[in-house]
């Protein structure tokens, strides 16, 4: 039996693998800001990639190339055919290994990691701590744009890793579904002006993705600590199916990745998240703290 693929790798491990011709290193940096007026500003990270990136890394534009622009919400996962084309264009394909990183909190890298898993590609990992951890370890960076070697990516979608609004609504009273909000506690409680309708999905609990990261290093907390958090929440119970959500599916992907690191790799992401849920005024929202 083959060894399971790691969901995260260290800068030290990656540095030792730089000469591997089958390894594709991907910078998935995206910049998203939400001014006080409630608007959303999205900027691809190509400019920061060109300033400094891991040697040999290619750039992937998650918003332009890996999202479904026919969907009502930004960053909706692209259909399998579009995803396969975009992945192949940056060199991700059959027989390749992939390490994804970003230049901030890791949620953008986790987003591409989740999309790869959604399309049946398992040999992908997130660089723990991203570019900041890489540079803190004393490893070199480059400012040369890398031209990808095109590859053939074959999609085998796993629909069980994705949830729609209708599916989440239908599971509100299902005791075997655990809906987890990955946003900060204030937004979960309904105290943030980021959404026209405030609050959280009824019955959902709050595990902020930011609480799973060591603020001094930018890396995920040790696996044992993650397991304590998830076990307390019931997310490691084999009789329940965790479903993560946030504002638009990005932090939810980070939470799904952290759960996979802790041993729960079957987590589904509610891709539309609050962007989709709050757009339908018939869907309920609850304000207040986590009831646990």
């Amino acid at each position: 039996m083959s060894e399971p693929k790691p969901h995260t790798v260290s800068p030290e491990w990656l540095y030792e693998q730089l000469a591997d011709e089958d390894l594709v290193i991907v910078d998935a940096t995206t910049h998203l800001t939400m001014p006080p007026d409630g608007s959303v500003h999205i900027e691809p990270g190509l400019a920061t990639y060109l300033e400094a990136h891991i040697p040999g890394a290619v750039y992937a534009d998650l918003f332009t190339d890996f999202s479904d622009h026919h969907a009502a919400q930004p960053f909706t996962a692209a259909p399998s055919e579009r995803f396969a084309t975009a992945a192949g264009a940056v060199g991700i394909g059959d027989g390749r290994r992939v390490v994804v990183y970003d230049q901030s909190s890791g949620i953008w890298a986790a987003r591409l990691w989740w999309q790869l898993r959604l399309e049946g590609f398992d040999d992908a990992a997130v660089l723990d701590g991203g570019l900041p951890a890489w540079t803190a370890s004393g490893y070199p960076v480059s400012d040369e744009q890398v031209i990808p070697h095109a590859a053939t990516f074959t999609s085998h979608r796993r629909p069980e890793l994705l949830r729609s609004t209708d599916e989440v609504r239908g599971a509100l009273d299902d005791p075997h579904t655990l809906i987890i909000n990955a946003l900060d506690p204030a937004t979960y409680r309904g105290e943030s002006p980021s959404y026209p309708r405030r609050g959280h999905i009824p019955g959902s609990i709050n595990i902020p993705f930011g609480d799973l990261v060591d603020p001094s290093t930018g890396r995920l907390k040790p696996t044992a600590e993650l397991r304590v958090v998830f076990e307390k929440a019931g997310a490691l119970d084999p009789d329940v199916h965790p479903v993560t959500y946030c504002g638009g599916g990005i932090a939810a992907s980070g939470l799904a990745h952290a759960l996979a690191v802790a041993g729960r790799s079957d987590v589904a992401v509610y891709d539309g998240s609050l962007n989709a849920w709050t757009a339908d005024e018939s869907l309920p929202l609850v304000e207040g703290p986590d009831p646990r």
Side-chain angles (χ1 to χ4, degrees):
M1 179 180 295
S2 60
E3 292 294 322
K5 310 294 184 183
H7 297 295
T8 186
V9 297
S10 68
E12 295 77 17
W13 181 92
L14 182 57
Y15 181 73
E16 295 175 355
Q17 307 297 316
L18 287 183
D20 185 349
E21 295 183 354
D22 292 326
L23 177 65
V24 182
I25 307 172
V26 184
D27 186 322
T29 301
T30 306
H31 303 291
L32 186 150
T33 55
M34 300 180 70
D37 62 5
S39 62
V40 177
H41 179 68
I42 300 167
E43 181 181 351
L46 180 60
T48 46
Y49 162 83
L50 292 174
E51 290 176 3
H53 55 265
I54 294 174
V58 299
Y59 178 71
D61 187 336
L62 298 190
F63 179 64
T64 303
D65 298 330
F66 288 87
S67 298
D68 182 359
H69 293 284
H70 296 291
Q73 289 79 37
F75 293 108
T76 298
S80 295
E81 183 177 353
R82 177 181 174 87
F83 182 89
T85 299
V90 298
I92 302 174
D94 306 339
R96 303 277 175 90
R97 296 194 296 165
V98 177
V99 172
V100 193
Y101 75 93
D102 60 40
Q103 300 188 23
S104 55
S105 64
I107 58 174
W108 299 105
R111 177 64 179 182
L112 184 54
W113 166 89
W114 172 74
Q115 285 189 266
L116 286 164
R117 283 186 50 77
L118 177 64
E119 300 302 338
F121 188 95
D122 288 328
D123 208 347
V126 171
L127 174 62
D128 198 17
L131 189 66
W134 175 269
T135 56
S137 298
Y139 297 129
V141 295
S142 171
D143 60 2
E144 297 182 4
Q145 185 169 7
V146 176
I147 305 302
H149 296 289
T152 299
F153 184 95
T154 305
S155 291
H156 299 284
R157 175 159 285 205
R158 295 174 169 133
E160 68 273 14
L161 298 184
L162 181 68
R163 290 293 187 276
S164 67
T165 298
D166 286 343
E167 289 171 327
V168 172
R169 175 171 48 192
L172 291 183
D173 297 320
D174 179 5
H176 298 292
T177 298
L178 179 66
I179 305 174
I180 310 173
N181 182 306
L183 296 172
D184 63 278
T187 303
Y188 172 86
R189 291 192 298 265
E191 300 169 2
S192 170
S194 300
Y195 303 94
R197 297 175 59 223
R198 304 180 187 181
H200 55 269
I201 296 173
S204 64
I205 65 171
N206 186 211
I207 303 179
F209 173 74
D211 288 356
L212 307 179
V213 177
D214 185 333
S216 65
T217 65
R219 302 190 186 195
L220 283 175
K221 291 180 178 179
T223 301
E225 293 185 26
L226 296 178
R227 287 190 60 86
V228 168
V229 172
F230 295 138
E231 284 178 349
K232 183 178 179 180
L236 300 184
D237 183 342
D239 291 329
V240 303
H241 304 288
V243 177
T244 63
Y245 77 99
C246 56
I250 308 302
S253 301
L255 183 54
H257 174 256
L259 275 158
V261 171
R264 192 72 197 251
S265 59
D266 61 343
V267 178
V269 171
Y270 172 24
D271 204 24
S273 286
L274 284 178
N275 285 338
W277 191 269
T278 60
D280 186 342
E281 294 187 359
S282 71
L283 296 177
L285 286 169
V286 177
E287 296 186 25
D290 189 326
R292 290 176 294 163

PDB file of all heavy atoms in Angstrom, residues 235-246:
ATOM      1  N   ALA A 235     -15.685  17.636  15.021  1.00  0.00           N
ATOM      2  CA  ALA A 235     -15.397  17.560  13.589  1.00  0.00           C
ATOM      3  C   ALA A 235     -14.632  16.311  13.186  1.00  0.00           C
ATOM      4  O   ALA A 235     -14.524  16.014  11.988  1.00  0.00           O
ATOM      5  CB  ALA A 235     -14.601  18.799  13.153  1.00  0.00           C
ATOM      6  N   LEU A 236     -14.093  15.589  14.155  1.00  0.00           N
ATOM      7  CA  LEU A 236     -13.379  14.349  13.837  1.00  0.00           C
ATOM      8  C   LEU A 236     -14.241  13.116  14.083  1.00  0.00           C
ATOM      9  O   LEU A 236     -13.776  11.989  13.908  1.00  0.00           O
ATOM     10  CB  LEU A 236     -12.084  14.262  14.660  1.00  0.00           C
ATOM     11  CG  LEU A 236     -11.075  15.402  14.446  1.00  0.00           C
ATOM     12  CD1 LEU A 236      -9.795  15.143  15.233  1.00  0.00           C
ATOM     13  CD2 LEU A 236     -10.755  15.604  12.969  1.00  0.00           C
ATOM     14  N   ASP A 237     -15.475  13.320  14.460  1.00  0.00           N
ATOM     15  CA  ASP A 237     -16.412  12.217  14.683  1.00  0.00           C
ATOM     16  C   ASP A 237     -16.719  11.556  13.340  1.00  0.00           C
ATOM     17  O   ASP A 237     -17.231  12.215  12.422  1.00  0.00           O
ATOM     18  CB  ASP A 237     -17.696  12.768  15.305  1.00  0.00           C
ATOM     19  CG  ASP A 237     -18.707  11.679  15.650  1.00  0.00           C
ATOM     20  OD1 ASP A 237     -18.599  10.555  15.119  1.00  0.00           O
ATOM     21  OD2 ASP A 237     -19.627  11.968  16.427  1.00  0.00           O
ATOM     22  N   PRO A 238     -16.421  10.277  13.172  1.00  0.00           N
ATOM     23  CA  PRO A 238     -16.660   9.623  11.879  1.00  0.00           C
ATOM     24  C   PRO A 238     -18.129   9.537  11.494  1.00  0.00           C
ATOM     25  O   PRO A 238     -18.458   9.264  10.340  1.00  0.00           O
ATOM     26  CB  PRO A 238     -16.062   8.228  12.067  1.00  0.00           C
ATOM     27  CG  PRO A 238     -16.081   8.000  13.546  1.00  0.00           C
ATOM     28  CD  PRO A 238     -15.836   9.346  14.154  1.00  0.00           C
ATOM     29  N   ASP A 239     -19.033   9.790  12.439  1.00  0.00           N
ATOM     30  CA  ASP A 239     -20.458   9.712  12.144  1.00  0.00           C
ATOM     31  C   ASP A 239     -21.037  11.032  11.640  1.00  0.00           C
ATOM     32  O   ASP A 239     -22.242  11.107  11.353  1.00  0.00           O
ATOM     33  CB  ASP A 239     -21.231   9.269  13.386  1.00  0.00           C
ATOM     34  CG  ASP A 239     -20.943   7.826  13.758  1.00  0.00           C
ATOM     35  OD1 ASP A 239     -20.670   7.037  12.836  1.00  0.00           O
ATOM     36  OD2 ASP A 239     -20.961   7.510  14.961  1.00  0.00           O
ATOM     37  N   VAL A 240     -20.212  12.079  11.585  1.00  0.00           N
ATOM     38  CA  VAL A 240     -20.701  13.357  11.068  1.00  0.00           C
ATOM     39  C   VAL A 240     -19.894  13.742   9.832  1.00  0.00           C
ATOM     40  O   VAL A 240     -18.759  13.287   9.639  1.00  0.00           O
ATOM     41  CB  VAL A 240     -20.622  14.487  12.114  1.00  0.00           C
ATOM     42  CG1 VAL A 240     -21.385  14.123  13.372  1.00  0.00           C
ATOM     43  CG2 VAL A 240     -19.183  14.848  12.432  1.00  0.00           C
ATOM     44  N   HIS A 241     -20.503  14.590   8.998  1.00  0.00           N
ATOM     45  CA  HIS A 241     -19.845  15.063   7.786  1.00  0.00           C
ATOM     46  C   HIS A 241     -19.612  16.568   7.915  1.00  0.00           C
ATOM     47  O   HIS A 241     -20.575  17.346   7.844  1.00  0.00           O
ATOM     48  CB  HIS A 241     -20.711  14.770   6.563  1.00  0.00           C
ATOM     49  CG  HIS A 241     -21.075  13.320   6.409  1.00  0.00           C
ATOM     50  ND1 HIS A 241     -20.166  12.359   6.020  1.00  0.00           N
ATOM     51  CD2 HIS A 241     -22.243  12.671   6.628  1.00  0.00           C
ATOM     52  CE1 HIS A 241     -20.756  11.173   5.980  1.00  0.00           C
ATOM     53  NE2 HIS A 241     -22.015  11.332   6.358  1.00  0.00           N
ATOM     54  N   PRO A 242     -18.358  17.004   8.121  1.00  0.00           N
ATOM     55  CA  PRO A 242     -18.091  18.436   8.247  1.00  0.00           C
ATOM     56  C   PRO A 242     -18.274  19.162   6.916  1.00  0.00           C
ATOM     57  O   PRO A 242     -17.873  18.677   5.853  1.00  0.00           O
ATOM     58  CB  PRO A 242     -16.623  18.489   8.694  1.00  0.00           C
ATOM     59  CG  PRO A 242     -16.323  17.115   9.213  1.00  0.00           C
ATOM     60  CD  PRO A 242     -17.153  16.195   8.397  1.00  0.00           C
ATOM     61  N   VAL A 243     -18.896  20.339   6.979  1.00  0.00           N
ATOM     62  CA  VAL A 243     -19.048  21.232   5.833  1.00  0.00           C
ATOM     63  C   VAL A 243     -18.576  22.612   6.282  1.00  0.00           C
ATOM     64  O   VAL A 243     -19.110  23.162   7.250  1.00  0.00           O
ATOM     65  CB  VAL A 243     -20.515  21.313   5.359  1.00  0.00           C
ATOM     66  CG1 VAL A 243     -20.652  22.317   4.214  1.00  0.00           C
ATOM     67  CG2 VAL A 243     -21.024  19.939   4.934  1.00  0.00           C
ATOM     68  N   THR A 244     -17.585  23.156   5.617  1.00  0.00           N
ATOM     69  CA  THR A 244     -17.042  24.450   6.007  1.00  0.00           C
ATOM     70  C   THR A 244     -17.576  25.555   5.105  1.00  0.00           C
ATOM     71  O   THR A 244     -17.860  25.342   3.934  1.00  0.00           O
ATOM     72  CB  THR A 244     -15.506  24.447   5.948  1.00  0.00           C
ATOM     73  OG1 THR A 244     -15.075  24.230   4.592  1.00  0.00           O
ATOM     74  CG2 THR A 244     -14.926  23.350   6.835  1.00  0.00           C
ATOM     75  N   TYR A 245     -17.707  26.747   5.689  1.00  0.00           N
ATOM     76  CA  TYR A 245     -18.091  27.914   4.889  1.00  0.00           C
ATOM     77  C   TYR A 245     -17.472  29.160   5.499  1.00  0.00           C
ATOM     78  O   TYR A 245     -16.956  29.150   6.631  1.00  0.00           O
ATOM     79  CB  TYR A 245     -19.616  28.036   4.801  1.00  0.00           C
ATOM     80  CG  TYR A 245     -20.309  28.597   6.025  1.00  0.00           C
ATOM     81  CD1 TYR A 245     -20.697  29.941   6.083  1.00  0.00           C
ATOM     82  CD2 TYR A 245     -20.610  27.787   7.120  1.00  0.00           C
ATOM     83  CE1 TYR A 245     -21.346  30.454   7.198  1.00  0.00           C
ATOM     84  CE2 TYR A 245     -21.270  28.290   8.228  1.00  0.00           C
ATOM     85  CZ  TYR A 245     -21.633  29.623   8.274  1.00  0.00           C
ATOM     86  OH  TYR A 245     -22.271  30.131   9.385  1.00  0.00           O
ATOM     87  N   CYS A 246     -17.516  30.246   4.759  1.00  0.00           N
ATOM     88  CA  CYS A 246     -16.982  31.530   5.225  1.00  0.00           C
ATOM     89  C   CYS A 246     -17.741  32.618   4.495  1.00  0.00           C
ATOM     90  O   CYS A 246     -18.960  32.595   4.431  1.00  0.00           O
ATOM     91  CB  CYS A 246     -15.471  31.605   5.005  1.00  0.00           C
ATOM     92  SG  CYS A 246     -14.965  31.323   3.283  1.00  0.00           S
TER      93      CYS A 246
END
